[in-house]
Amino acid sequence: MSKYYNIDDLRLLAKKRVPRAVFDYADGAAEDESTKENNGNAFKKWKFIPDVLIDVSEVETQTKVLGTEMPYPFALGPTAISYLFHHSGEPAVARAASKKNFPSTLSSIASTNIEDYAKSSNGSVWFQMYVWKNREISYDFIKRCKESNYKAIMLTVDVPVGGKRERDLRSGMTVPPKLTIASIIDAAFHPSWWWNFIFGPKIGFANVKERFTGKKQKLNNIMTYMNQQFDPSVTWDEAKEIANMWGGPFAIKGLMTPEDAEKAIEIGASAIVISNHGGRQLDSAAAPIDVLPEIAKQVNGRAEILIDGGIRRGSDIVKAVALGADACLIGRPWVYGLAAKGEKGVETVIDVLASEVKRTLQLLGCKSIKDVKRRHVRLNKSFIENSD
Ligand SMILES: Cc1cc2nc3c(=O)[nH]c(=O)nc-3n(C[C@H](O)[C@H](O)[C@H](O)COP(=O)(O)O)c2cc1C
């Protein structure tokens, strides 16, 4: 049995394994990081109300979202440049997820390209899309995803501009990381990471490299890259065109209101992802779990609902389901696993969360994930009283 009992155990190991600037790029968030902190705390306000004396010797946990079967109601969400965290990069993530029959999502700004990621997976893969000012790059993604049999596309809409991530500004973090006096000193503490960085695969934005207006990619701070490349003028009309171009299961990722959920349904999205980008964009944003009930009420079964941000326990996933989500995405947890122990670390993250979901269902008196209802969770009254 693994000695990593929870996600935080892997986070702590990740912190030891990679250079500080790399860890901070994953662990950090925008400005005061209050959105990120609140994402996690918000789950703790919801308390379970269990049923008893129900035969829970067998429990059904599987579900289906975005046309994809999955053994538990969670999938690996998109995060950028996995080669930063471990020399096995995105292919290891695709292998780990598919070995356990979980879908995983490749980011537009991954360090492995669409084609290679699909080849590394033995299961279902999804693609996360940003809209570049140079539309050829983005629209070409759709064609490439079709050719490589991706099951779904999710369009991320909460990055009109890059969030102000102060840990990255302080560390001077670039992609690929540059060698400075500080990084040379750091090498003494993380020799194997630096060895793999220098002699392993070159790290860059693999999906756009060869299409990058003919110029060689420069060392870039991620925020600068987003601000230079992504188009802040994209609207619902274009989201609709993108959904139509794709024609398959399609999600809008990064919405937070019932009104925007309604618009997503109008443009033909089959799913929404309630998300504040793990607190990396708008600081002081509400927590996804707190806006989930009102959005679920509005959606009323007309689209699938996914949610991410702050999920660190299987019980968080069960709470999200009780409040109306069909499934969850996890972000940092699998990045910590990757940084800590490569492919095995991602597998451990999946195993830890899956076993926690199952145990929570049993302790809640639910024979199936479908039996989890709104009445199984209650907002802690003392929190509401204290928050006035
Ligand atoms: C290192 C890192 C990189 C990310 N890159 C992307 C990305 O390229 N595209 C995207 O839509 N979301 C990206 N996200 C946001 C995640 O998909 C997800 O919304 C967020 O991590 C969920 O919060 P959690 O980390 O608390 O689980 C990134 C998150 C992290 C931590």
Side-chain angles (χ1 to χ4, degrees), residues 40-309:
N41 288 340
F43 278 100
K44 298 192 177 76
K45 295 179 322 200
W46 291 94
K47 303 296 176 192
F48 286 121
I49 318 282
D51 297 325
V52 294
L53 287 177
I54 290 161
D55 176 1
V56 288
S57 41
E58 305 278 331
V59 286
E60 283 181 13
T61 56
Q62 70 275 14
T63 192
K64 186 177 179 183
V65 292
L66 288 167
T68 312
E69 305 273 357
M70 54 188 86
Y72 284 82
F74 69 92
L76 273 53
T79 77
I81 39 177
S82 293
Y83 272 107
L84 263 187
F85 303 104
H86 195 266
H87 59 275
S88 55
E90 284 91 357
V93 181
R95 282 195 299 273
S98 65
K99 187 168 161 196
K100 309 249 166 213
N101 294 319
F102 281 78
S104 61
T105 319
L106 183 72
S107 161
S108 290
I109 49 174
S111 43
T112 294
N113 68 34
I114 291 174
E115 294 75 14
D116 290 345
Y117 192 76
K119 280 186 214 140
S120 304
S121 167
N122 284 319
S124 299
V125 284
W126 299 341
F127 182 72
Q128 175 272 325
M129 183 169 160
Y130 286 122
V131 181
W132 263 252
K133 287 176 188 156
N134 176 351
R135 291 296 194 275
E136 268 177 56
I137 292 174
S138 296
Y139 294 173
D140 198 34
F141 289 155
I142 299 172
K143 190 168 140 267
R144 293 166 66 193
C145 284
K146 284 185 185 170
E147 285 165 3
S148 290
N149 287 324
Y150 277 68
K151 281 265 189 182
I153 283 188
M154 55 182 76
L155 179 68
T156 296
V157 294
D158 54 9
V159 187
V161 294
K164 185 170 175 246
R165 303 174 192 169
E166 296 179 3
R167 292 201 219 182
D168 297 346
L169 292 173
R170 282 202 187 89
S171 69
M173 164 74 190
T174 57
V175 177
K178 59 177 180 274
L179 284 172
T180 59
I181 292 182
S183 58
I184 290 163
I185 295 169
D186 183 84
F189 297 96
H190 304 99
S192 87
W193 186 93
W194 280 101
W195 174 273
N196 287 313
F197 168 63
I198 292 167
F199 299 108
K202 295 286 157 269
I203 303 175
F205 301 117
N207 278 313
V208 291
K209 241 198 268 184
E210 67 278 20
R211 294 165 171 79
F212 200 71
T213 57
K215 282 192 224 138
K216 208 170 157 253
Q217 264 175 259
K218 287 196 299 215
L219 290 177
N220 251 314
N221 167 294
I222 299 250
M223 273 179 283
T224 313
Y225 182 81
M226 287 171 156
N227 291 337
Q228 280 169 355
Q229 300 299 323
F230 298 171
D231 191 342
S233 72
V234 178
T235 63
W236 285 102
D237 288 341
E238 189 167 359
K240 184 175 182 177
E241 277 176 45
I242 292 169
N244 288 340
M245 265 184 252
W246 169 242
F250 181 78
I252 299 280
K253 174 176 183 280
L255 62 77
M256 291 284 290
T257 68
E259 292 78 11
D260 279 346
E262 190 60 44
K263 286 183 195 146
I265 294 169
E266 276 165 25
I267 65 141
S270 41
I272 57 168
V273 184
I274 304 173
S275 172
N276 56 31
H277 217 101
R280 300 164 76 79
Q281 287 296 105
L282 177 65
D283 200 26
S284 275
I289 192 71
D290 285 342
V291 295
L292 170 61
E294 58 195 285
I295 296 179
K297 191 168 167 211
Q298 176 74 27
V299 170
N300 196 19
R302 291 174 299 153
E304 291 160 348
I305 300 179
L306 293 98
I307 177 171
D308 73 15

